[in-house]
Amino acid sequence: MKVLTVDYTAENAAERFVESLHLTGFGVLTNHPIAKEKVQAIYDSWYQFFISEAKHDFTFNPDTQDGYFPPSVSEMAKGHSVKDIKEFFHCYPWGQMPESLKSQVMEYYNLANGLAQELLGWIEEYAPKEVKAKFTQSLPSMVNNSEGTLLRVLHYPPMTGKEEPGAIRAAAHGDINLLTVLPAANEPGLQVIASDGSWYDVPCDFGNIIINIGDMLQEASGGYYPSTIHRVINPTGERSTKSRISLPLFLHPNPEVILSDRYTAESYLDERLRELGVKK
């Protein structure tokens, strides 16, 4: 399985990037507009937040789903019976977050959101005519001014040896949203599954950005763009003593957007959150 690494500045970048998304559900960009120094600064400051007691002052709001989610309420991937080994914070422009981290996070949120909307334009432009016809509106307009687009700051803590049997940092899953923008993490571990069931490492050189299709775009495109199952495996050896910080931006359409004859964005999200146990 070949996930393409594409130079964002190349003349044929859009076409090659979309080809990778169609064939694998994933694409990797180099020389993109988001400076790796900004990403590293977020990793550093949020690591300090996660190892502090201050995180408990921002415990998530069950109704709005913003704030800090401790390991005890971590997600359980669909079809799995063991929780992932992680804690995370949901950042929305309207949501709670530490004041000292807000400007840094919101600057990144806006940069990544802008890049993602550009990439949605690429995805629409290079879709076959019959796939474009399925979109009820332009892909970038689906997320324009969306209050549902989520920046999740993830902390995968060092391994202790006392983990629940079968638990891994992120069990095999697909993303719910339209598109996910993910700077390479500070530690490896992200893998994607191929059609034969084999797992492959996603190129994770620091400074690259990994993009993957979410379930909503798979639904809207009639399966042309696949939401490929992926996971984050547990580290071994010396790496098991290190934290892993990850920063996915999940692009969510406005609630009223019609994805298909079966779903609006709101009904699709509601169904999936209930499956995950995040929503009652």
Side-chain angles (χ1 to χ4, degrees):
M1 183 174 189
K2 182 64 173 173
V3 176
L4 293 182
T5 298
V6 176
D7 185 336
Y8 170 86
T9 64
E11 190 174 327
N12 63 345
E15 190 170 6
R16 292 190 69 238
F17 175 73
V18 173
E19 176 190 4
S20 186
L21 291 179
H22 167 53
L23 295 176
T24 70
F26 275 75
V28 178
L29 289 176
T30 63
N31 295 322
H32 52 78
I34 299 176
K36 63 182 178 182
E37 292 79 11
K38 291 185 185 295
V39 174
Q40 185 63 60
I42 292 174
Y43 289 172
D44 293 343
S45 56
W46 280 85
Y47 171 73
Q48 293 301 321
F49 174 77
F50 280 118
I51 63 172
S52 75
E53 291 303 307
K55 60 189 179 186
H56 298 294
D57 296 335
F58 298 90
T59 300
F60 72 99
N61 182 325
D63 295 324
T64 55
Q65 295 286 303
D66 59 316
Y68 169 66
F69 291 73
S72 59
V73 296
S74 181
E75 288 174 316
M76 188 183 298
K78 184 178 178 179
H80 294 263
S81 58
V82 181
K83 287 185 182 298
D84 291 346
I85 307 167
K86 65 190 182 190
E87 57 185 343
F88 51 91
F89 199 103
H90 280 180
C91 300
Y92 295 97
W94 47 262
Q96 61 174 323
M97 70 184 75
E99 195 60 39
S100 61
L101 300 175
K102 187 171 184 176
S103 62
Q104 180 191 57
V105 163
M106 285 299 97
E107 180 191 16
Y108 175 80
Y109 181 98
N110 291 327
L111 284 170
N113 202 27
L115 175 62
Q117 286 192 275
E118 179 185 12
L119 299 180
L120 284 173
W122 290 6
I123 289 166
E124 182 173 351
E125 180 182 356
Y126 286 97
K129 185 168 61 175
E130 63 273 16
V131 174
K132 286 182 188 177
K134 296 178 186 295
F135 301 145
T136 59
Q137 63 188 87
S138 74
L139 294 183
S141 74
M142 289 184 180
V143 298
N144 194 37
N145 297 320
S146 171
E147 293 191 350
T149 290
L150 162 65
L151 180 64
R152 173 184 286 176
V153 190
L154 279 150
H155 175 230
Y156 302 97
M159 311 304 290
T160 64
K162 298 178 182 178
E163 288 77 21
E164 189 172 351
I168 68 170
R169 283 181 158 176
H173 66 283
D175 291 347
I176 301 171
N177 45 293
L178 268 188
L179 199 70
T180 302
V181 177
L182 176 70
N186 64 323
E187 289 289 316
L190 180 63
Q191 294 186 327
V192 61
I193 198 167
S195 55
D196 65 358
S198 302
W199 287 95
Y200 291 87
D201 294 332
V202 175
C204 61
D205 293 345
F206 187 69
N208 288 356
I209 280 191
I210 300 150
I211 313 291
N212 66 273
I213 300 295
D215 295 345
M216 289 185 181
L217 187 47
Q218 177 176 267
E219 180 72 23
S221 67
Y224 181 80
Y225 291 113
S227 177
T228 306
I229 299 298
H230 50 285
R231 67 183 183 182
V232 179
I233 59 172
N234 293 341
T236 58
E238 184 184 346
R239 289 193 182 279
S240 66
T241 65
K242 297 179 180 179
S243 287
R244 183 178 190 269
I245 305 290
S246 183
L247 194 63
L249 181 78
F250 299 112
L251 238 69
H252 277 273
N254 287 294
E256 69 278 6
V257 167
I258 297 169
L259 298 175
S260 67
D261 292 341
R262 302 188 299 168
Y263 292 105
T264 63
E266 183 175 34
S267 67
Y268 196 100
L269 179 62
D270 186 69
E271 179 179 289
R272 289 300 307 277
L273 290 180
R274 292 179 192 280
E275 289 174 349
L276 289 170
V278 174
K279 191 173 181 180
K280 301 298 183 188

